[in-house]
Amino acid sequence: MNAQLHDKTFLITGASGGIGQATARLFASEDAVVIAHYRNNEVSINQLGVELGEKCFPVQAELSDETQVDEMYRLALLRFPRIDGIVVNAGVWSEPEQGLHEISLERWQNSLDANLT
């Protein structure tokens, strides 16, 4: 596949999980640089960094905290002149599992804030 990603820089949120890691690997295989966001899975993101080498720049942030998001972008833009695209992959789902009809309004709002805002 040739998606013409050579010399492009992409931020991938949630890059420490399965879909995020697969996306980072695919982009790196197309010669793109990946800014690999993670929230708390440092072991997984470090393994990805070793695997992708210079194509991977890990950065930690809690995406629901505006200050941490600003710092994530600041660090990325110190290292790279621009970000060509973003893959918004990060997401959370609170435990315990519940059907939508059972979720409280507070839990629903927290999910929207964490995943969309």
Side-chain angles (χ1 to χ4, degrees), residues 37-77:
H37 159 265
Y38 70 102
R39 182 177 61 168
N40 57 14
N41 194 345
E42 192 171 1
V43 170
S44 179
I45 208 73
N46 286 339
Q47 290 171 344
L48 182 67
V50 168
E51 179 183 337
L52 300 182
E54 293 179 0
K55 297 277 182 205
C56 184
F57 178 68
V59 63
Q60 191 279 333
E62 168 57 61
L63 296 179
S64 65
D65 182 327
E66 187 175 0
T67 302
Q68 289 188 37
V69 172
D70 288 343
E71 180 66 4
M72 175 181 69
Y73 278 103
R74 187 186 73 74
L75 291 172
L77 291 170

Side-chain angles (χ1 to χ4, degrees), residues 71-91:
E71 180 66 4
M72 175 181 69
Y73 278 103
R74 187 186 73 74
L75 291 172
L77 291 170
L78 279 174
R79 177 85 181 260
F80 305 104
R82 68 188 184 284
I83 298 172
D84 297 297
I86 301 174
V87 177
V88 181
N89 172 69

Side-chain angles (χ1 to χ4, degrees), residues 11-21 23 63 86-92:
L11 169 63
I12 300 175
T13 66
S16 64
I19 294 171
Q21 284 201 354
T23 304
L63 296 179
I86 301 174
V87 177
V88 181
N89 172 69
V92 296

